[in-house]
């Protein structure tokens, strides 16, 4: 078994004494209760009351075992009093909908939060982020944040571009984004994306921006409060690779010490300062344009816990829960314990109306470098879910100390999925 396989299959090494952790707005299958239990922590869920939930979450409840469940119905003082009574020592947001409340609760309990209360839009809204970075003189794409289609079309007239990208302002919405080469295409997809944005976030604002050229990256970071203020550390840089169809094909973990990685890291750390990030794990989506260099597309507090995420966090030693607990009560894994290996996330899209066949999924699962098969990477998947439950797409996490081993398995994946498409079309 390779070092990467051993790291992915090992249990978390944190076994300190029981500590209460407030998990804010967990959604079904979020995995936070189990993840905290493995660390010897009591998990208390703080759910959003019906009047404070986005429409998509009106009828959802946590499906995991929490030590207690507290409903926040708009009375912050009452909620904080209950949490203080049970001795909560850390606060984590378990969904995008819970980021703002988590920051307010953490502030009241005098515990680390992702930022100052009242500034949550800087960490949850693409349009607000772009405006703040632009004011600070940090390179960003030309962007409009609006709820009005008429205003969006007028802005496109005043800012001609080869193409535009339309998406929700709220981070965490799964619908979109859409590539729009013309004003007519903007108008065509506007109702669908706006409806989905409001349904999932309660925010109907959309972001229209010029299409950004250049390769895209995800830069992950952890911030801790030091004596001189927030200290940002980049924990991983992932390069996006797209298929000729435009679909996301793979994401590769980059070496963090080359010139490009350093430039991306410096840009992101400056952006995090501007966005008011004071603690915890963040994920920044950045494009690198040949002429302008890095430009931020979005930045969000890390809340998702898919099976693929957890496999990678175990390999790299950078789990967002550990980042939250380190601030209050936990010792993180030492850098010497983190295996140095290549990691890639490969995405397989099934034919329209189909799903990966069980035999194909089994063949993927036994590839030498495969450490995880995730059949629904866009949703929360608990660790206890079946390995191959089926789905319309899947993600394969590959890890190995030798890059050639990953490339060989990547080519095997593409052969297997090409055969699947041929079978579907016979």
């Amino acid at each position: 078994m390779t070092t990467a396989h051993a790291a992915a299959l090992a249990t978390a090494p944190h076994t300190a004494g029981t500590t209460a952790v407030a998990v804010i707005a967990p959604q079904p299958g979020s995995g936070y209760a189990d993840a905290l239990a493995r660390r010897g922590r009591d998990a208390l869920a703080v759910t959003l009351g019906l009047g404070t939930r986005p429409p998509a979450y009106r009828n959802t409840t946590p499906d995991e075992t929490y030590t207690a469940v507290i409903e926040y119905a708009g009375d912050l003082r009452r909620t904080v009093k209950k949490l203080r009574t049970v001795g909560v020592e850390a606060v984590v947001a378990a969904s995008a909908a819970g980021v703002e409340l988590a920051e307010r609760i953490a502030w009241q309990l005098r515990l680390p939060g992702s930022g100052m209360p009242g500034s949550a839009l800087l960490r949850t809204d693409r349009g607000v982020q772009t405006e703040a970075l632009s004011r600070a003189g940090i390179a960003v794409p030309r962007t409009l944040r609006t709820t009005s289609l008429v205003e969006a079309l007028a802005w496109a007239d005043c800012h001609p571009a080869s193409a535009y990208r339309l998406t929700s302002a709220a981070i965490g919405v799964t619908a979109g984004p859409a590539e729009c080469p013309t004003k007519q295409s903007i108008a065509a997809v506007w109702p669908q994306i706006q409806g989905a944005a409001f349904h999932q976030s309660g925010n109907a604002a959309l972001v229209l921006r010029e299409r950004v050229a250049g390769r895209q990256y995800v830069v992950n970071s952890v911030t801790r409060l030091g004596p001189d203020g927030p200290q940002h550390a980049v924990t991983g840089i992932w390069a996006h690779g797209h298929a000729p169809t435009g679909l996301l094909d793979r994401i590769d973990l980059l070496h963090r010490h080359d010139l490009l990685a350093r430039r991306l890291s410096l840009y992101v750390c400056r952006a995090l300062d501007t966005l008011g990030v004071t603690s915890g794990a963040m994920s920044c989506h950045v494009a690198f344009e040949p002429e302008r260099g890095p430009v931020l597309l979005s930045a969000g507090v890390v809340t998702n816990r898919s099976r693929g995420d957890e496999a990678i966090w175990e390999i790299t030693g950078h789990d967002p829960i550990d980042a939250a607990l380190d601030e209050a009560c936990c010792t993180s894994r030492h850098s010497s314990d983190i295996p140095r290996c290549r990691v890639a996330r490969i995405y397989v899209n099934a034919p329209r109306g189909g799903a990966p066949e069980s035999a194909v999924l089994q063949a993927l699962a036994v590839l030498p470098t495969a450490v995880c098969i995730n059949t629904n990477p866009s949703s929360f998947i608990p660790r206890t879910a079946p390995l191959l439950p089926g789905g319309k797409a899947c993600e394969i996490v590959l890890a190995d100390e030798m890059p050639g081993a990953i490339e060989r398995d990547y080519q095997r994946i593409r052969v297997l999925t090409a055969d699947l498409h041929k079978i579907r079309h016979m």
Side-chain angles (χ1 to χ4, degrees):
M1 181 178 292
T2 65
T3 304
H5 278 69
L9 297 175
T11 56
H14 307 287
T15 58
T18 300
T19 301
V21 178
V23 180
I24 313 302
Q27 306 306 326
S30 67
Y32 276 79
D34 288 343
L36 287 165
R38 293 195 299 272
R39 291 161 170 80
R41 314 297 172 187
D42 283 340
L44 288 79
V46 177
T47 62
L48 301 178
L50 290 177
T52 59
R53 297 183 193 179
Y57 303 129
R58 291 283 161 81
N59 298 317
T60 62
T61 56
D63 61 348
E64 301 166 277
T65 302
Y66 287 89
T67 304
V69 178
I70 299 171
E71 181 178 287
Y72 170 73
D75 189 337
L76 183 63
R77 292 178 61 184
R78 184 177 181 182
T79 301
V80 169
K81 183 178 180 180
K82 291 180 179 179
L83 294 174
R84 187 176 282 122
T85 299
V86 297
V88 165
E89 294 189 32
V91 178
V92 295
S95 66
V99 171
E100 181 178 7
L101 179 59
E103 292 185 358
R104 294 171 64 196
I105 288 175
W107 179 258
Q108 292 292 325
L109 293 174
R110 298 189 177 183
L111 296 173
S114 54
M116 295 285 288
S119 64
L121 288 178
L122 288 172
R123 293 168 295 283
T124 59
D125 190 296
R126 292 179 176 86
V128 175
Q129 290 173 355
T130 300
E131 182 180 351
L133 295 178
S134 179
R135 288 198 305 267
I138 299 175
V140 288
R142 292 184 298 178
T143 302
L144 172 72
R145 179 188 187 276
T146 181
T147 59
S148 168
L149 173 58
V150 173
E151 184 179 2
L153 296 178
W155 183 86
D157 276 334
C158 297
H159 298 85
S162 60
Y164 302 91
R165 191 174 181 87
L166 183 66
T167 188
S168 65
I171 292 169
V173 174
T174 58
E179 295 291 339
C180 303
T182 64
K183 290 173 55 179
Q184 290 76 16
S185 59
I186 295 172
V189 299
W190 185 278
Q192 177 185 354
I193 294 180
Q194 188 170 52
F198 180 77
H199 182 65
Q200 295 185 32
S201 69
N203 182 354
L206 301 187
V207 163
L208 182 66
R209 64 162 52 107
E210 62 180 343
R211 181 181 179 184
V212 178
R215 194 168 189 184
Q216 296 183 16
Y217 302 86
V218 170
V219 182
N220 295 325
S221 65
V222 169
T223 300
R224 294 181 175 85
L225 279 172
D228 300 320
Q231 305 294 314
H232 311 299
V234 170
T235 58
I237 300 176
W238 297 80
H240 282 206
H242 291 82
T245 59
L247 293 174
L248 184 62
D249 179 56
R250 62 187 287 178
I251 305 177
D252 290 271
L253 184 63
L254 296 185
H255 192 280
R256 298 215 313 270
H257 301 293
D258 61 21
L259 291 178
L260 173 61
R262 292 179 184 179
R263 189 168 178 185
L264 291 171
S265 297
L266 289 172
Y267 174 88
V268 164
C269 289
R270 187 182 175 197
L272 294 176
D273 282 335
T274 303
L275 299 179
V277 178
T278 59
S279 180
M282 294 286 293
S283 184
C284 295
H285 189 184
V286 179
F288 190 93
E289 289 193 310
E291 295 182 358
R292 285 192 289 186
V295 292
L296 184 77
L297 303 179
S298 66
V301 178
V302 177
T303 60
N304 186 47
R305 296 190 69 83
S306 73
R307 177 185 284 126
D309 293 329
E310 291 202 339
I312 288 168
W313 292 333
E314 288 178 2
I315 293 169
T316 61
H318 295 292
D319 190 313
I321 283 185
D322 294 335
L325 297 182
D326 286 348
E327 292 284 358
C329 54
C330 188
T331 301
S332 64
R333 198 185 299 185
H334 294 292
S335 58
S336 58
D337 298 329
I338 301 170
R340 296 182 178 180
C341 61
R342 305 279 181 151
V343 185
R345 307 178 78 153
I346 313 300
Y347 296 93
V348 174
N349 293 279
R352 183 177 298 276
E357 298 287 353
S358 177
V360 174
L361 290 173
Q362 293 288 355
L364 296 174
V366 297
L367 290 172
T369 67
V371 296
C372 174
I373 305 292
N374 182 19
T375 55
N376 193 359
S378 65
S379 69
F380 296 113
I381 297 180
R383 183 180 291 269
T384 54
L387 178 62
L388 301 174
K392 293 184 179 179
C394 70
E395 173 191 47
I396 306 102
V397 177
L398 307 179
D400 199 272
E401 295 173 358
M402 301 301 295
I406 287 181
E407 293 308 313
R408 284 192 294 272
D409 281 355
Y410 169 73
Q411 295 302 327
R412 291 168 183 158
I413 291 170
R414 288 301 161 225
V415 170
L416 284 168
T417 54
D419 290 342
L420 174 63
H421 282 252
K422 289 178 183 177
I423 293 171
R424 288 289 184 182
H425 287 89
M426 288 179 65

